[in-house]
């Protein structure tokens, strides 16, 4: 990148164009700065800062007859975004360094910016802004990949939904993905379609979004009608897993939007298109577990209703002391392991507290759920480090106790609408706990495995 005065031009200083500015640009357009900034921020989530192929750190700008589009890819995901409020003087296609262009546009105070390129250099101009940038690893424009998605010959099918619904499906499931398995099935959200047998409309179907890391499972279900072209692409045998990176990009794109959306499925990729944007992503490899088997069907169990706001506040309050207790144990355990004397090391290991994990004890009884956490100090004395009482409406029954990770429970509750309620379903201390919510457009559900009370 070359800039007239400094690596990033301050928007408050007017800098005269250099004499090397292209006199006859191959492409030129005028863009609304805020719209261009929003598009570049999303594109930079895809364009890699470092890559064995340096050309991928660029974005591709396409000036059509009347529209401006920004495209970025990392060969696994790609995004194409229309820049609203643009006018084109001269159409063309060229590359620009993604991070540097974002920095210039972000720091500018101009309402409108002009962008022009002669193929080798890109100039950004405004009343208070001037910068000249050079694409990374400039080659022929044909060397820049168009993304991994083919020309449409490999499509299996598609279904139509809305940005609002997709945002809700992703928000309720992304937290449960296994971020240590980014290239395998547990590292994303599975989209699965099932024809509805309960809806009065014959063509209704249920779209499921599922995520699990082996310790918990999040599932959000929503009814959709326009799915006939996607049954073969999203049924239980063909359903694919959308990588977490693509899910985060889509969640950012769908935020605040209320429009129709098409989700297309190929053998090896997804393509999600809305008004002015298209996101394409590979499908994660690997076999997905039978998630239906993880949701218990129980007739006899304890069910209580809890308000999301109070329940979430209690989980946030418990997360800090739970982490502190686990960290204190880790420090004591590591110190004990470093003791060179065998007998002294064995004695130090034996003195470590049994109850040392991140779990919170739930005691469910008539009228309330009692939350508590206990720790053992250096003298071996057990003391309470957290306590909370949540009022609920429950029938007369004996107490049921279970130990859960407050972070897992809290991440699910955080995806639900404020002011809503959830049903807590508990069988015993050794069985999974189910949390259900019917708020919003989707039917959200979380299955959490309990922690052992003595070693949680």
């Amino acid at each position: 990148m070359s800039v007239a005065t400094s690596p990033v031009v301050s928007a408050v200083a007017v800098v005269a164009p250099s004499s090397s500015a292209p006199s006859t640009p191959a492409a030129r357009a005028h863009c609304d700065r805020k719209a261009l900034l929003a598009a570049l921020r999303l594109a930079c989530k895809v364009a890699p800062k470092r890559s064995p192929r340096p050309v991928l750190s660029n974005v591709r700008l396409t000036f059509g007859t009347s529209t401006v589009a920004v495209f970025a890819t990392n060969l696994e995901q790609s995004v194409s975004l229309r820049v609203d409020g643009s006018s084109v003087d001269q159409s063309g296609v060229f590359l620009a360094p993604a991070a540097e262009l974002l920095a210039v546009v972000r720091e500018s105070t101009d309402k409108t910016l002009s962008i022009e390129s002669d193929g080798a250099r890109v100039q950004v101009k405004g009343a208070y802004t001037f910068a000249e940038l050079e694409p990374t690893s400039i080659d022929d424009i044909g060397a820049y990949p168009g993304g991994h998605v083919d020309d449409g010959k490999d499509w299996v099918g598609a279904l139509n939904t809305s940005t609002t619904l997709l945002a809700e499906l992703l928000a309720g499931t992304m937290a449960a993905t296994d971020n240590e398995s980014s290239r395998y099935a547990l590292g994303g959200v599975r989209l699965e379609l099932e024809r509805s047998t309960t809806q009065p409309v014959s063509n209704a179907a249920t779209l499921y979004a599922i995520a699990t890391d082996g310790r918990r499972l999040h599932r959000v279900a929503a009814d959709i009608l326009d799915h006939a072209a996607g049954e073969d692409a999203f049924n239980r045998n063909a359903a694919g897993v959308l990588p977490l990176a693509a899910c985060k990009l889509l969640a950012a794109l769908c935020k605040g939007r209320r429009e129709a959306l098409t989700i297309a499925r190929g053998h090896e990729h997804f393509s999600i298109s809305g008004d002015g944007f298209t996101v394409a992503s590979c499908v994660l490899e690997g076999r997905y577990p039978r998630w239906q088997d993880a949701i218990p069907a129980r007739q006899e169990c304890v069910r209580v209703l809890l308000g999301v706001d109070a329940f979430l506040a209690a989980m946030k309050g418990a997360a800090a002391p739970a982490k502190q207790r686990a960290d204190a144990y880790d420090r004591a355990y590591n110190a004990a392991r470093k003791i060179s004397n065998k007998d002294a090391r064995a004695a130090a290991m034996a003195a470590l507290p049994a109850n040392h994990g991140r779990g919170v004890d739930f005691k469910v009884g008539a009228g309330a759920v009692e939350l508590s956490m206990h720790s053992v100090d250096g003298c071996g004395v057990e003391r309470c480090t957290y306590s909370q009482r949540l009022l609920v409406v429950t029938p007369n029954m004996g107490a049921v106790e279970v130990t859960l990770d407050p972070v897992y429970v809290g991440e699910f509750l955080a995806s639900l609408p404020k002011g809503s309620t959830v049903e807590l379903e508990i069988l015993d201390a050794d069985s999974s706990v189910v949390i259900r919510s019917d708020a919003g457009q989707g039917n959200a559900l979380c299955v959490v495995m309990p922690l052992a009370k003595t070693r949680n």
Side-chain angles (χ1 to χ4, degrees):
M1 176 184 76
S2 65
V3 177
T5 57
S6 60
V8 177
V9 177
S10 173
V12 299
V14 180
V15 183
S18 65
S19 58
S20 61
S23 57
T24 56
R28 180 169 55 207
H30 309 282
C31 303
D32 178 80
R33 189 190 72 85
K34 289 185 178 179
L36 179 61
L37 178 61
L40 288 173
R41 279 176 170 163
L42 291 168
C44 285
K45 292 179 182 291
V46 176
K49 293 181 175 61
R50 295 180 181 178
S51 171
R53 296 186 62 179
V55 72
L56 296 179
S57 63
N58 298 304
V59 293
R60 186 180 69 201
L61 295 172
T62 302
F63 295 171
T65 55
S66 60
T67 60
V68 172
V70 179
F71 177 86
T73 182
N74 58 16
L75 300 183
E76 292 185 349
Q77 282 92 40
S78 64
V79 60
S80 178
L81 302 150
R82 185 184 66 211
V83 180
D84 294 326
S86 303
S87 61
V88 178
D89 291 344
Q90 191 165 340
S91 60
V93 181
F94 59 94
L95 301 181
E100 290 84 346
L101 181 58
L102 173 63
V104 172
V105 175
R106 183 181 60 236
E107 299 303 325
S108 173
T109 58
D110 290 301
K111 185 176 180 180
T112 303
L113 291 174
S114 297
I115 301 178
E116 58 184 57
S117 172
D118 63 355
R121 293 161 299 170
V122 179
Q123 289 188 352
V124 183
K125 300 178 182 179
Y128 301 97
T129 305
F130 175 81
E132 186 175 280
L133 312 173
E134 293 182 1
T136 304
S137 181
I138 183 168
D139 290 311
D140 180 72
I141 189 68
Y144 189 80
H148 63 280
V149 178
D150 60 20
D151 57 4
K153 296 179 181 179
D154 195 36
W155 296 119
V156 178
L159 55 86
N160 294 322
T161 179
S162 67
T163 53
T164 306
L165 187 57
L166 181 61
E168 190 170 328
L169 292 174
L170 296 177
T173 51
M174 287 192 298
T177 57
D178 187 353
N179 55 14
E180 296 180 356
S181 302
S182 60
R183 293 191 59 83
Y184 298 97
L186 297 186
V189 175
R190 178 180 173 90
L191 298 178
E192 184 174 315
L193 189 71
E194 183 179 84
R195 180 176 284 278
S196 177
T197 58
T198 60
Q199 291 293 320
V201 182
S202 60
N203 66 338
T206 301
L207 178 63
Y208 291 107
I210 310 103
T212 180
D213 59 5
R215 298 175 291 273
R216 53 179 165 167
L217 180 143
H218 289 190
R219 188 217 68 188
V220 183
D223 292 327
I224 61 172
L225 298 178
D226 194 357
H227 65 87
E231 288 189 12
D232 293 336
F234 295 91
N235 61 38
R236 184 171 298 179
N237 296 325
V241 179
L242 191 64
L244 180 59
C247 293
K248 290 180 177 179
L249 177 63
L250 283 166
L253 267 168
C254 293
K255 186 177 181 180
R257 288 175 176 258
R258 296 180 181 273
E259 62 197 55
L261 188 78
T262 299
I263 305 176
R265 172 81 161 83
H267 290 295
E268 297 180 352
H269 51 260
F270 283 100
S271 178
I272 300 94
S273 302
D275 182 18
F277 72 87
T278 298
V279 174
S281 173
C282 63
V283 176
L284 284 184
E285 301 173 355
R287 295 183 61 184
Y288 206 79
R290 288 181 53 84
W291 60 270
Q292 297 89 346
D293 297 341
I295 303 176
R298 297 166 177 161
Q299 298 296 328
E300 299 294 332
C301 63
V302 175
R303 292 182 173 89
V304 295
L305 293 178
L306 288 166
V308 166
D309 297 345
F311 198 3
L312 178 58
M315 292 299 96
K316 288 181 177 179
K323 183 178 184 301
Q324 186 177 33
R325 181 176 69 176
D327 290 346
Y329 176 86
D330 290 341
R331 289 193 295 270
Y333 176 79
N334 292 330
R337 287 190 59 188
K338 293 179 181 179
I339 298 176
S340 57
N341 184 277
K342 183 178 180 180
D343 295 335
R345 182 171 63 252
M349 296 290 284
L352 294 174
N355 191 1
H356 61 264
R358 300 173 184 268
V360 174
D361 298 330
F362 285 62
K363 184 176 181 181
V364 182
V369 175
E370 304 281 352
L371 308 176
S372 63
M373 186 184 307
H374 296 80
S375 296
V376 180
D377 60 21
C379 300
V381 178
E382 185 177 282
R383 58 188 179 87
C384 180
T385 55
Y386 178 80
S387 179
Q388 181 77 25
R389 189 171 187 265
L390 301 176
L391 297 179
V392 297
V393 178
T394 58
N396 262 336
M397 58 187 178
V400 179
E401 296 187 28
V402 68
T403 303
L404 301 175
D405 189 322
V407 174
Y408 290 172
V409 177
E411 286 179 340
F412 174 72
L413 297 174
S415 68
L416 302 177
K418 293 182 179 179
S420 59
T421 60
V422 293
E423 181 185 68
L424 196 63
E425 181 185 295
I426 304 174
L427 182 62
D428 54 45
D430 300 319
S431 302
S432 59
V433 174
V434 181
I435 309 171
R436 304 176 189 271
S437 171
D438 292 325
Q441 297 186 57
N443 184 324
L445 175 147
C446 173
V447 180
V448 184
M449 296 304 297
L451 303 173
K453 186 176 179 62
T454 56
R455 291 184 63 86
N456 56 61

